[in-house]
């Protein structure tokens, strides 16, 4: 496994053979009343090879942390679901305990109304990071570059497998158009949330990434160097690429004509994205790690925000084929079906098994 995670993974031969038994990981999730948004995300995470191994082999038990408000319970309930999905015993299961636990900490996920799978994923990542947190020895600050120092200030030596797999960092540079002075700041992310190019029915993932990274003009910026209001240009660069890169498309927007009633509209733009060898070098600063990514999961959204439906397309790391997870139904699909205008969140991995 080409991945620099200090959590040593126990990938025994027996475990691999066990995974190859028929139907492992091809278990559906019952819809508990508009919980397809949750089911879609659980299936995408359940097909994240390092994460399901960590839950299935019990290694997560060494890291359960009860010092935050979720008290380790979200990670425990997700682990129970993942283990059941990989047991090969069920056609589908009902993730009731996980749903109840999630609902305790976020009211919106308690009811039976449709929710946003992106919002659920973002909150779930933060909870899992807290629930599985361990402390590392702090590095010597003098030896760190600006990006690493900002990363360390963000993590405060508290790490988790979830942090190491999914969290990256963005450098934001605001440059004065007169004196050219710039001031970089750093922010961490667990997924990139990309706008779609306006007025186009088709675009590519590269178009969306360029739109996101290639700056905006900030008129009347207070330049600390000129000590006057100047126009400035803001530019983003990825300064830390995570081993698992999650990309969200901002398909939902409030129609300006219906601003008063807060009605969400959805962009049906068809986005062309690579299934293999997404090269992130052109979008990032020179950062360590493998810059080539392969797609392994997609959270899809169909219909409108209020009356929509979610599914997941996932490539099984065990069988090497794509499957559609539509609540309790799991069916094999050809790779040619994976790209569609329903694609809402993409999961890419740069980890290769060796
Ligand atoms: Zn200036």
């Amino acid at each position: 496994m080409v991945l620099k995670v200090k959590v040593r993974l126990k990938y025994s031969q027996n475990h691999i053979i066990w995974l190859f038994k028929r139907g492992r990981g091809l278990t559906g999730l019952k819809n508990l009343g508009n919980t397809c948004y949750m089911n879609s995300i659980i299936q995408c995470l359940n097909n994240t090879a390092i994460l399901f191994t960590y839950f299935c082999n019990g290694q997560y038990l060494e890291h359960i942390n009860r010092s935050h408000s979720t008290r380790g319970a979200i990670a425990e309930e997700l682990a129970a679901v993942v283990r059941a999905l990989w047991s090969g015993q069920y056609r589908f299961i009902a993730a009731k305990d996980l749903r109840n636990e999630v609902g305790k900490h976020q009211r919106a996920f308690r009811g039976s109304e449709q929710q946003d799978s992106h919002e659920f994923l973002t909150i779930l990542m933060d909870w899992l990071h807290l629930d599985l947190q361990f402390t590392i020895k702090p590095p010597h600050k003098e030896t760190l570059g600006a990006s690493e120092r900002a990363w360390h200030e963000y993590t405060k030596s508290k790490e988790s497998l979830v942090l190491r797999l999914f969290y990256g960092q963005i450098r934001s540079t605001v440059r004065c158009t007169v004196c050219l002075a710039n001031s970089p700041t750093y922010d961490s992310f667990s997924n990139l949330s990309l706008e779609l190019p306006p007025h186009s029915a088709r675009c590519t993932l590269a178009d969306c990434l360029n739109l996101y990274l290639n700056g905006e003009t900030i008129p009347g910026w207070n330049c600390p160097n000129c000590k006057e209001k100047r126009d400035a240009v803001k530019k983003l660069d990825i300064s830390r690429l995570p081993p698992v890169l999650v990309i969200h498309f901002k398909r939902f927007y409030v129609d300006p004509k219906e601003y008063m009633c807060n009605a969400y509209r959805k962009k049906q733009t068809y986005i062309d994205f690579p299934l293999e060898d997404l090269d992130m070098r052109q979008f990032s600063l020179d950062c360590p790690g493998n810059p080539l990514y392969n797609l392994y999961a997609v959270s899809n959204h169909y219909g409108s925000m209020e009356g929509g439906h979610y599914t997941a397309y996932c490539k099984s790391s065990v069988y090497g084929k794509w499957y559609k997870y539509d609540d309790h139904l799991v069916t094999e699909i050809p790779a040619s079906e994976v790209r569609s205008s329903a694609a809402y969140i993409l999961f890419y991995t740069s980890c290769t098994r060796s």
Side-chain angles (χ1 to χ4, degrees):
M1 184 157 304
V2 184
L3 172 65
K4 276 210 272 179
V5 279
K6 282 169 205 149
V7 184
R8 209 171 294 141
L9 289 160
K10 295 164 188 164
Y11 243 133
S12 72
Q13 201 61 30
N14 284 345
H15 189 62
I16 306 273
I17 292 162
W18 174 81
L19 288 174
F20 268 98
K21 284 191 185 170
R22 206 172 140 263
R24 304 273 192 211
L26 303 181
T27 297
L29 286 165
K30 193 172 177 227
N31 193 318
L32 306 169
N34 274 324
T35 53
C36 53
Y37 72 94
M38 206 177 275
N39 291 348
S40 165
I41 293 301
I42 294 170
Q43 295 290 10
C44 292
L45 294 180
N46 190 54
N47 280 283
T48 306
I50 293 177
L51 193 66
F52 78 66
T53 306
Y54 177 72
F55 283 133
C56 286
N57 69 10
Q59 204 186 351
Y60 74 99
L61 292 167
E62 296 165 22
H63 298 143
I64 288 286
N65 186 319
R66 308 209 184 272
S67 56
H68 303 282
S69 62
T70 44
R71 304 209 162 270
I74 304 266
E76 284 180 320
E77 293 301 345
L78 180 63
V81 170
V82 168
R83 292 165 76 98
L85 292 175
W86 283 95
S87 71
Q89 292 181 51
Y90 315 103
R91 255 192 323 127
F92 61 87
I93 61 166
K96 279 186 193 157
D97 293 343
L98 174 62
R99 193 265 187 97
N100 289 344
E101 197 56 46
V102 160
K104 274 189 213 167
H105 302 284
Q106 184 82 5
R107 183 181 284 271
F109 303 141
R110 197 179 306 167
S112 58
E113 274 163 38
Q114 186 64 272
Q115 302 294 327
D116 183 358
S117 75
H118 172 245
E119 192 185 335
F120 175 67
L121 172 68
T122 306
I123 296 173
L124 183 62
M125 285 288 126
D126 287 346
W127 282 335
L128 290 175
H129 169 55
L130 295 175
D131 276 0
L132 297 167
Q133 214 169 66
F134 50 86
T135 307
I136 58 155
K137 205 172 145 234
H140 293 290
K141 276 193 181 166
E142 311 79 60
T143 62
L144 301 178
S147 156
E148 284 171 315
R149 204 175 321 121
W151 179 256
H152 181 67
E153 277 160 19
Y154 167 68
T155 64
K156 297 188 170 61
S157 299
K158 308 274 189 208
E159 298 216 353
S160 67
L161 180 72
V162 169
L163 180 93
R164 287 177 181 179
L165 276 183
F166 294 93
Y167 284 63
Q169 188 193 57
I170 289 274
R171 185 185 75 175
S172 162
T173 312
V174 179
R175 187 185 294 272
C176 171
T177 52
V178 179
C179 72
L180 303 182
N182 64 68
S183 55
T185 54
Y186 295 86
D187 286 304
S188 62
F189 65 87
S190 64
N191 59 72
L192 295 178
S193 201
L194 309 184
E195 295 281 357
L196 309 183
H199 317 299
S200 53
R202 286 180 79 95
C203 68
T204 64
L205 173 58
D207 293 336
C208 301
L209 282 165
N210 282 323
L211 185 68
Y212 175 72
L213 297 169
N214 282 346
E216 50 180 320
T217 307
I218 309 170
W221 180 67
N222 274 319
C223 175
N225 194 37
C226 300
K227 299 192 169 54
E228 264 188 65
K229 281 196 191 302
R230 302 290 199 196
D231 286 353
V233 177
K234 186 177 165 187
K235 162 96 177 75
L236 304 181
D237 292 286
I238 299 171
S239 47
R240 187 185 182 100
L241 275 169
V244 176
L245 180 63
V246 181
I247 295 172
H248 162 245
F249 297 123
K250 289 187 178 176
R251 291 194 179 275
F252 298 107
Y253 64 102
V254 177
D255 190 333
K257 281 174 276 177
E258 295 176 46
Y259 180 70
M260 294 302 283
C261 47
N262 229 0
Y264 277 93
R265 295 265 174 262
K266 189 184 168 192
K267 291 178 183 170
Q268 300 284 359
T269 316
Y270 177 91
I271 304 155
D272 197 359
F273 49 84
L275 267 54
E276 287 177 353
D277 294 334
L278 165 66
D279 189 343
M280 289 302 291
R281 271 174 293 197
Q282 55 178 311
F283 306 109
S284 48
L285 302 171
D286 190 22
C287 33
N290 178 8
L292 292 180
Y293 286 80
N294 293 328
L295 187 75
Y296 72 93
V298 183
S299 173
N300 295 302
H301 181 271
Y302 306 88
S304 66
M305 186 149 205
E306 300 79 16
H309 182 55
Y310 288 93
T311 68
Y313 291 160
C314 304
K315 187 178 184 181
S316 165
S317 60
V318 175
Y319 307 106
K321 291 175 183 164
W322 284 92
Y323 295 88
K324 177 183 181 180
Y325 295 84
D326 186 350
D327 287 332
H328 62 287
L329 293 172
V330 183
T331 46
E332 193 184 326
I333 55 161
S336 57
E337 269 183 35
V338 173
R339 283 187 207 97
S340 81
S341 56
Y344 184 48
I345 307 173
L346 309 180
F347 291 71
Y348 279 96
T349 179
S350 64
C351 307
T352 48
R353 285 185 176 180
S354 52

